[in-house]
Amino acid sequence: RPCSRTEDIERCKGCTKGDLWTLFDTFQAIDRGAVGAVNRPDYVWALTALGPNVDFQKSVNRARLSEYFRETSKDLEFEEFLRRAVPTASAADFSRMLRRGD
């Protein structure tokens, strides 16, 4: 169900505000070139450099990054990263998540 105005502040379908910030921070940490996309070499680097971090592990597992980079070498942009991490989000919820990430 879509978020109500009260819930909009803290939660959307499948993702709390805290979850969103953790996903954003993880993506930003992996995106070493600050280009708005994660590539396979950056992901492999992050596995070693950030691997022990619990939030990192939760985020990359949630977005199924290992699966993604096994299937393709194409760069993964933030929007697609979020879609993979929160597949149950409605279009309205997803729009709110992107606004929060700005």
Side-chain angles (χ1 to χ4, degrees):
R1 82 180 164 81
C3 294
S4 70
R5 288 233 181 257
T6 313
E7 289 174 318
D8 183 38
I9 296 168
E10 294 297 329
R11 182 173 198 54
C12 285
K13 187 174 183 179
C15 185
T16 66
K17 191 183 232 183
D19 292 340
L20 176 61
W21 284 112
T22 299
L23 290 166
F24 178 76
D25 290 344
T26 298
F27 184 87
Q28 202 169 34
I30 300 171
D31 180 15
R32 293 191 301 165
V35 296
V38 172
N39 59 38
R40 184 181 287 172
D42 284 348
Y43 173 65
V44 171
W45 166 84
L47 289 174
T48 302
L50 307 171
N53 181 289
V54 173
D55 287 337
F56 169 79
Q57 286 296 323
K58 286 180 182 179
S59 295
V60 299
N61 289 338
R62 186 172 182 171
R64 302 175 326 278
L65 291 190
S66 290
E67 176 185 313
Y68 179 84
F69 285 115
R70 259 195 312 271
E71 294 173 358
T72 184
S73 61
K74 182 180 171 191
D75 291 358
L76 179 68
E77 294 183 354
F78 181 63
E79 187 172 325
E80 181 61 23
F81 175 80
L82 275 183
R83 288 188 191 282
R84 293 179 64 82
V86 192
T88 59
S90 68
D93 290 341
F94 191 73
S95 178
R96 275 190 285 277
M97 285 189 285
L98 288 176
R99 280 197 311 271
R100 286 181 188 157
D102 285 343

